[in-house]
Amino acid sequence: MSSTAAPSSRGRIACAAGAALLALGLGREGALADGLAVAPPLAWHVATSSPSPGVAAPGLQALYDVCGRADDALIAVAARNAGRLMRGEPGVGADELGFDVRAAGAPHVWPRAWTMQGEALADETVLAKVTRWSGGASSLGERRCGVVRTRTRSGAEIVSAVQADVLADLDPLPTLARTGEWISLKGHMLVPASDAKVVLLGPRGGPKSVLASLSKDDVRATFSVDAPGAWFVQVLATVSTGPRPVLEAWIYAGENPPAKFEESPAPGEDASISGLSPEEALRKMVNTARAAEGLGALDTDTALDDLAVAHSQLMLDTKTVGHDVGDGDPKTRIVDAGLTASAVGENVASAATLPRAHRALWASPSHRGNLLEKRFKKIGVGIVKSADGRVWVTQLFMN
């Protein structure tokens, strides 16, 4: 059994000739390099690992005090997003944000991005807005952040921030591997956990669980990337809010990582939902995705719907995406409602739109496992919207 040796420094894999990440450490009066007039080629770190401590640029410490501990990888992603805005391009979307964080070598899950543009932005205004944005979600674990503040040649200012709540750190996991190579994973929990497992999503087939151990705060697993292509690695841990992803990484077996982000819609995302309620639309997305994998449709269960709606509302109220936000885990809620099931599963998410929530759940190995579980016969769907239109989604499954 062998594993890829980790590099001693955070090197990069160039996906185009001469590729390099953006210059970091921009200060209050800094300006991004002239090269940002054109999007720089994407460069992947040779390994995914954390922590990657960063240094607050001059004048930005007050923003980090409310945004979180400076993280070198998140600073790189914030700088890349600022470059997009300087070129008049739209800011990074949720899917691409996760892609950029992986390319920057960070295993952080559920990153968030924020930007602000204007003329002569007052420090107090910027700080107030970053504080409001940063405080908009419940923090679990250690909050880390990357902040860039710069100005265009015309004098307009841009502030870009990327934030993540980090529940675990990861020893270096290689970005490139030989097909068939054995990989050793070691993670370190930063919050109490009662269980952990590793889920892989390979270049073909459905997700599969890997035997993993949790000893004190260390998560360990060994697995083989036994087919050429992209492998998504996800570490799940049972924490105070229930099971949730705590670490994620991509490993490319026998091929280079992609040089740019490409949209990857989920099966069912583009299903015709005209005239349907949000709940009916999401059920159609789920059943269309199952049909694409040769699986039967899930039946609607109104009792499960009620439980799912109540859970989504509590997630919104507590600003926490989790399986237990004070109302018990999924199995407990089903039993307390007088229902009987031998198999229970739940997917939860928060996203800007329903299709985005469906795509995020499909992209996650563990959540896709629930969507494609053959034992499940019924589904309950709960959707609530926050004041800003964001959807909080619960999918509750049982047989």
Side-chain angles (χ1 to χ4, degrees):
M1 184 178 297
S2 63
S3 62
T4 300
S8 58
S9 61
R10 289 176 62 82
R12 303 184 183 105
I13 303 166
C15 295
L21 288 178
L22 301 177
L24 308 179
L26 302 173
R28 172 66 175 82
E29 300 299 330
L32 293 177
D34 291 343
L36 288 180
V38 177
L42 186 68
W44 285 71
H45 276 279
V46 298
T48 302
S49 65
S50 65
S52 57
V55 177
L60 297 184
Q61 187 57 56
L63 298 181
Y64 280 105
D65 288 342
V66 297
C67 187
R69 174 183 168 189
D71 182 286
D72 188 59
L74 298 182
I75 294 172
V77 177
R80 191 171 185 85
N81 199 22
R84 292 169 62 108
L85 299 178
M86 292 189 73
R87 295 188 298 274
E89 301 171 4
V92 64
D95 293 352
E96 189 170 359
L97 178 62
F99 176 84
D100 287 350
V101 169
R102 299 294 160 259
H108 308 326
V109 178
W110 302 345
R112 303 177 291 276
W114 175 89
T115 59
M116 181 180 183
Q117 301 179 68
E119 301 289 337
L121 299 176
D123 291 346
E124 295 79 7
T125 300
V126 174
L127 179 60
K129 290 186 177 296
V130 170
T131 301
R132 189 176 304 115
W133 165 70
S134 181
S138 178
S139 176
L140 181 65
E142 181 180 285
R143 184 156 283 183
R144 297 179 190 169
C145 194
V147 181
V148 166
R149 185 172 184 179
T150 188
R151 62 177 69 249
T152 66
R153 292 188 182 91
S154 65
E157 285 195 87
I158 294 174
V159 184
S160 172
V162 178
Q163 182 188 71
D165 292 333
V166 179
L167 281 67
D169 281 320
L170 181 68
D171 282 8
L173 200 68
T175 300
L176 298 180
R178 299 183 304 275
T179 302
E181 185 168 3
W182 286 90
I183 306 295
S184 293
L185 178 150
K186 183 179 180 182
H188 311 272
M189 294 300 305
L190 303 180
V191 298
S194 59
D195 187 35
K197 68 177 181 178
V198 174
V199 183
L200 301 181
L201 186 60
R204 61 177 181 269
K208 59 181 181 181
S209 295
V210 173
L211 184 64
S213 65
L214 174 64
S215 178
K216 295 184 179 179
D217 296 327
D218 290 341
V219 181
R220 295 176 184 267
T222 303
F223 54 87
S224 172
V225 286
D226 55 11
W231 290 79
F232 187 35
V233 184
Q234 186 180 69
V235 178
L236 296 176
T238 302
V239 296
S240 61
T241 57
R244 60 156 286 177
V246 296
L247 295 167
E248 293 178 343
W250 283 97
I251 298 177
Y252 294 86
E255 67 177 35
N256 287 326
K260 63 178 182 178
F261 171 75
E262 298 287 350
E263 290 271 351
S264 182
E269 180 180 324
D270 57 354
S272 176
I273 57 176
S274 176
L276 300 181
S277 69
E279 292 76 15
E280 291 170 331
L282 188 56
R283 272 192 287 267
K284 185 170 184 179
M285 292 178 197
V286 170
N287 284 329
T288 302
R290 286 175 62 88
E293 297 294 327
L295 298 174
L298 299 173
D299 295 329
T300 298
D301 188 291
T302 56
L304 287 181
D305 283 344
D306 292 342
L307 293 176
V309 170
H311 188 70
S312 290
Q313 184 62 55
L314 193 54
M315 289 197 302
L316 171 60
D317 293 342
T318 59
K319 298 295 188 293
T320 302
V321 177
H323 295 288
D324 185 351
V325 289
D327 54 347
D329 62 29
K331 186 174 182 180
T332 297
R333 283 181 267 129
I334 283 178
V335 171
D336 288 348
L339 304 176
T340 302
S342 60
V344 172
E346 182 175 69
N347 288 344
V348 291
S350 178
T353 66
L354 279 182
R356 289 291 174 174
H358 178 62
R359 182 184 298 188
L361 293 172
W362 180 259
S364 167
S366 56
H367 294 90
R368 188 184 300 190
N370 279 336
L371 291 169
L372 301 181
E373 174 56 58
K374 296 178 180 179
R375 294 175 299 168
F376 295 149
K377 304 301 180 184
K378 298 179 180 180
I379 185 174
V381 171
I383 303 167
V384 298
K385 284 189 176 182
S386 56
D388 61 0
R390 190 172 185 85
V391 294
W392 295 72
V393 173
T394 300
Q395 299 169 339
L396 194 52
F397 308 91
M398 74 177 194
N399 63 354

